[in-house]
């Protein structure tokens, strides 16, 4: 081709020479006759032709950084900036501009890097991508910056405005709850920062502003924003236990080896569903992933993951406080403090919360109002950033709950908030957590290590309306975990990978659990369960063609459990009579290979579809409440989950709509079996199927006006379940705790003048609380409202929850026969709240 090009140039030169000689004959003597030497001929050598090609590539001879009032200007110095055309994208907390037909040509080398040029920007990078293009990367501290491109006399300019919390408008110009500018919602559901709409998982994301606007401070509040997620306390006014279901899988069997849902706070797993009454404070984001998650997270989960992310320490000083007071003498105070201990290297963030409330349940036997609540919580983070690639953080979380009587009533009482109890109980929960997290974010790979210890102790006395009393002197658990992950760098595009390892040691001890049954006596149980879990997991994502990405993952998990337990009657003189032989050092081992694979297809820039097939798994275990050795062991549970989904965003993200359809086929579902008296004891393995649909919508029809809606439907039923204690076939019965449908509609308005208004409507379909489907809650709806005024440094609000004082049950049991037992949801509450930041 080059030879043909040179021959063509020579031919053109001959033609031009003949033409010029002909013109020379026609000019006058006064005219200047051009000479051959004056004519600039085309290049006639390969060297000259390559030089011509290089001249068509724009050379950038320098990069200059100018600090501005809003952030930073990055100037690409060139004489032809108007010819530079950039394509931009956001990846995690990085803004990336790719510029073709350009090259960096510096005297000191052809790369540029500047760390921390201004607050809120970690670094600015520039490098040649290949022989004909360059890439500019601007990395934000916690979020991607806003960047505008424009031309100047010096060259192409990138106007950078940091969007991290510490570089938002100051407290003098920003209202306490004023939302950040519209940006892409970034999640870490797949252990890498990415746009939530690009994640091929059914995930509900609740960002910090929504957390504050909706006053989310518990797992109940999180479930209220999530389709097909139901989370309820078991008793009225008490928090000694919590019931939940996600996509038709519940936690009613609290004797299993692990929950079907994995709960994380800052990468730290929470064990045992009796310990889920958590004070959530100072939160940055919440992500609820639905479906099995075994190839990306350390702890295995067959139903989904609730990933709670706290606000991180930053170098900038910040103080936030809030206080509220309301009905039943409810009072709450929260604060957070943030500052740098060593500039740009060591930062500290602390937060605390106190919440108290008087009881609202009348005890006719004593005349007291029972069911009071009190909780104190604190968290702290020390963050060290020795370089831009390394982060080391130490996190500590502590809470203490001291509630009054966990109160149950009859199933259909004249007044759900009137009881007749001779004994008044209490519920106490004490938890403390320490964790060390080390992260490396390099050009070739990323690595994360999380070492955590969590200790929890629970004590309670739970009296029943018939005189039965349960006394637990102490359930305590010590959980030690170590997770290690290696994964592809954030700049990876077509091929992304993750490889991880997980170790968990759990010592669960029931020191002394006693139950008094009038006319029968007192019975005592003890149990000590130890479990060691080892797992390796990984996943790869590969973009076959631009719109199509396939992914596959695999997990290998092995666990060993041992248990000691006793079951005895307590005689009048305090001596014990064994009701079965003591079980000592009973053991069980499990292991499994757990796959996950699927694909996603970008139908157009606004619409993505995905298909996922994944296996869920729960190991078998030992039942310390077994009445005989034959009831001691229960088997492994395996779930095949199938999901198809669509994610769409329109009108520059002003309208987001997501849809998913799923089916769970569960073999050997671990179910807690109840006998004819309504008491539980054995754990059975049965089959289950759950099919459902989920829809989520977020819209911004006008400035300051937001609409949030979601709907979830699930049909979860037993496939083959014969209750061996009662002789009843429960096949085709609905699975307890899973409402047939859940919907949520929120309308919110925030005006430039400071007005804030929010209304929430939440509805639930028919919900069963027992396997016989005899105890149920008919469909009901709850309304919450909030209105306030927001100024520059403070906000004041009025709120009302359960505005129309709807009555509904949160738990139901057939014991004692025939009246049964139920816990009821809170009545209407209202109050005032004040917030301020400095």
């Amino acid at each position: 081709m080059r030879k043909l090009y040179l021959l063509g140039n020579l031919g053109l030169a001959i033609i031009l020479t003949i033409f010029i000689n002909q013109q020379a004959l026609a000019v006058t003597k006064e005219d200047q006759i051009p000479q051959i030497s004056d004519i600039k001929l085309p290049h006639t050598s390969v060297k000259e032709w390559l030089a011509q090609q290089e001249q068509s590539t724009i050379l950038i001879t320098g990069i200059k950084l100018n600090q501005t009032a809003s952030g930073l200007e990055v100037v690409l110095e060139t004489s032809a900036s108007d010819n530079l055309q950039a394509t931009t994208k956001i990846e995690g907390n990085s803004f990336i501009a790719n510029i073709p037909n350009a090259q960096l040509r510096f005297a000191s080398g052809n790369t540029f890097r500047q760390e921390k040029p201004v607050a809120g920007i970690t670094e600015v990078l520039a490098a040649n991508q290949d022989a004909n293009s360059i890439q500019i990367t601007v990395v934000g501290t916690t979020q991607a910056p806003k960047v505008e491109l424009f031309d100047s006399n010096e060259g192409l300019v990138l106007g950078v405005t940091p969007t991290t919390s510490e570089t938002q408008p100051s407290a003098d110009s920003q209202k306490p709850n004023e939302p950040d500018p519209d940006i892409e919602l970034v999640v870490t559901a797949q252990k890498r920062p990415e746009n939530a709409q690009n994640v091929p998982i059914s995930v509900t994301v609740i960002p910090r502003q929504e957390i504050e606007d909706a006053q989310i401070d518990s797992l109940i509040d999180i479930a209220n924003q999530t389709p097909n997620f139901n989370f309820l306390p078991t008793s009225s006014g008490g928090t000694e236990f919590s019931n939940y279901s996600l996509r038709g899988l519940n936690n009613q069997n609290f004797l299993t080896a692990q929950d079907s849902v994995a709960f994380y706070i800052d990468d730290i797993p929470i064990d045992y569903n009796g310990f889920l009454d958590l004070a959530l404070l100072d939160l940055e984001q919440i992500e609820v992933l639905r479906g099995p998650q075994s190839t990306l997270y350390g702890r295995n989960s067959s139903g989904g993951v609730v990933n709670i992310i706290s606000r991180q320490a930053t170098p900038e000083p910040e103080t936030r406080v809030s206080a509220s007071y309301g009905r039943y003498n409810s009072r709450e105070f929260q604060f957070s403090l943030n500052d740098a201990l060593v500039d740009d290297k060591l930062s500290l963030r602390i937060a605390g919360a106190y919440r108290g409330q008087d009881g609202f349940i009348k005890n006719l036997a004593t005349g007291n109002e029972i069911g009071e609540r009190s909780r104190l919580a604190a968290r702290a983070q020390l963050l060290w950033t020795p370089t831009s690639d390394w982060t080391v953080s130490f996190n500590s979380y502590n809470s203490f709950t001291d509630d009054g009587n966990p109160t149950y009533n009859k199933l259909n009482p004249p007044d759900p908030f009137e009881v007749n109890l001779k004994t008044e109980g209490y519920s106490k929960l004490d938890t403390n957590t320490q964790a060390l997290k080390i992260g490396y974010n390099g050009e070739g790979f990323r690595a994360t290590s999380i070492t955590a210890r969590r200790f929890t102790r629970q004590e309670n006395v739970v009296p029943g309306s018939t005189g039965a009393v349960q006394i637990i002197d102490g359930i305590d658990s010590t959980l030690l975990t170590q997770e290690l992950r290696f994964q592809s760098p954030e700049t990876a595009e077509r091929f992304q990978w993750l490889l991880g390892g997980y170790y968990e040691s759990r010592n669960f001890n029931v020191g002394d659990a006693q139950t008094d049954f009038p006319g029968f006596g007192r019975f005592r149980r003890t149990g000590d369960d130890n479990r060691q879990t080892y797992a390796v997991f990984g996943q790869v994502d590969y973009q076959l063609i631009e719109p199509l990405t396939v992914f596959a993952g695999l997990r290998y998990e092995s666990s060993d459990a041992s248990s000691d337990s006793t079951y005895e009657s307590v005689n009048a003189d305090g001596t014990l009579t064994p009701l079965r032989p003591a079980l000592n050092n009973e053991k069980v081992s499990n292991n499994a290979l757990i796959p996950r694979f699927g694909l996603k297809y970008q139908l157009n820039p606004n619409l993505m579809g995905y298909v996922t097939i994944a296996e869920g798994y729960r190991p078998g275990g030992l039942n310390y409440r077994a009445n005989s050795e034959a009831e001691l062991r229960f088997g492994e549970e395996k779930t095949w989950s199938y999901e198809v989904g669509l994610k769409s965003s329109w009108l520059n993200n002003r309208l987001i709509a997501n849809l998913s359809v799923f089916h769970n086929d569960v073999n050997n579902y671990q179910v807690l079996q109840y006998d004819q008296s309504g008491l539980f004891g054995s754990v059975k393995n049965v089959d289950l199927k759950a099919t459902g649909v989920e829809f989520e919508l977020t819209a911004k029809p006008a400035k300051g006006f937001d609409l949030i809606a979601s709907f979830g439907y699930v049909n979860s039923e037993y496939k083959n379940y014969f209750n061996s204690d009662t002789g009843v076939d429960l096949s085709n019965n609905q699975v307890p705790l899973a409402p047939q449908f859940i919907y949520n509609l929120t309308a919110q308005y925030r005006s430039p003048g400071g007005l804030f208004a929010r209304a929430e409507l939440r509805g639930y379909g028919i919900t069963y609380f027992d396997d016989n489907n005899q105890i149920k809650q008919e469909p009901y709806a709850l309304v919450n409202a909030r209105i306030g005024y927001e100024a520059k440094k403070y906000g004041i609000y009025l709120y009302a929850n359960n505005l129309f004082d709807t009555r509904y049950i949160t738990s139901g049991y057939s014991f004692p026969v025939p009246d049964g037992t139920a816990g009821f949801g809170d009545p209407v509450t209202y109050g005032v709240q004040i917030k301020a930041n400095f």
Side-chain angles (χ1 to χ4, degrees), residues 74-256:
V74 181
V75 183
L76 308 183
E77 296 179 329
T78 178
S79 59
S81 65
D82 56 337
N83 292 329
L84 293 177
Q85 302 294 324
T87 58
T88 64
K89 62 180 178 179
I90 299 293
E91 286 189 357
N93 58 341
S94 298
F95 170 89
I96 299 174
N98 291 305
I99 304 176
N101 301 320
Q103 286 285 280
L104 302 179
R105 288 291 187 268
F106 304 150
S108 57
N110 296 330
T111 59
F112 175 88
R113 179 175 183 177
Q114 178 64 54
E115 295 185 3
K116 300 180 180 179
V118 294
I121 300 299
T122 300
E123 60 184 346
V124 177
L125 305 169
N128 293 325
Q129 286 290 92
D130 51 41
N132 198 39
S133 67
I134 66 171
Q135 184 176 89
I136 310 297
T137 304
V138 185
V139 183
T141 303
T142 59
Q143 299 179 17
K146 292 184 65 177
V147 179
E148 295 181 278
L149 280 68
F150 55 90
D151 295 320
S152 73
N153 292 332
E154 295 181 278
L156 182 66
V157 178
L158 285 72
V160 179
T161 303
T163 56
T164 55
S165 58
E166 64 265 25
T167 55
Q168 288 297 307
S170 66
D172 293 333
S173 61
Q174 188 181 22
K175 296 168 186 176
N177 286 330
E178 188 174 14
D180 295 336
D182 289 341
I183 58 174
E184 291 182 337
L185 193 57
V186 176
V187 300
T188 57
Q190 297 194 112
K191 296 304 179 185
R192 57 178 181 260
E194 55 189 329
N195 186 340
Q197 291 302 103
N198 294 332
V199 179
I201 296 174
S202 185
V203 53
T204 296
V205 184
I206 310 174
R208 183 175 66 190
Q209 190 60 55
E210 179 68 14
I211 292 171
E212 295 183 2
D213 291 343
Q215 292 298 283
I216 294 173
D217 62 5
S218 70
L219 289 170
I220 296 174
D221 297 329
I222 294 173
N224 290 340
Q225 310 295 319
T226 308
N228 281 329
F229 189 19
N230 188 35
F231 197 102
L232 296 168
T234 56
S235 64
S236 305
T239 52
E240 89 288 358
F241 202 77
S242 299
N243 282 335
Y244 71 77
S245 69
L246 182 60
R247 283 191 168 180
L249 307 180
N250 66 35
N251 74 324
Q252 193 174 58
N253 183 4
F254 60 91
L255 300 176
T256 55

Side-chain angles (χ1 to χ4, degrees), residues 550-561:
V550 296
F551 52 88
L554 187 66
R555 178 188 186 92
Y556 174 76
E557 179 171 306
S558 175
S559 64
D560 299 296

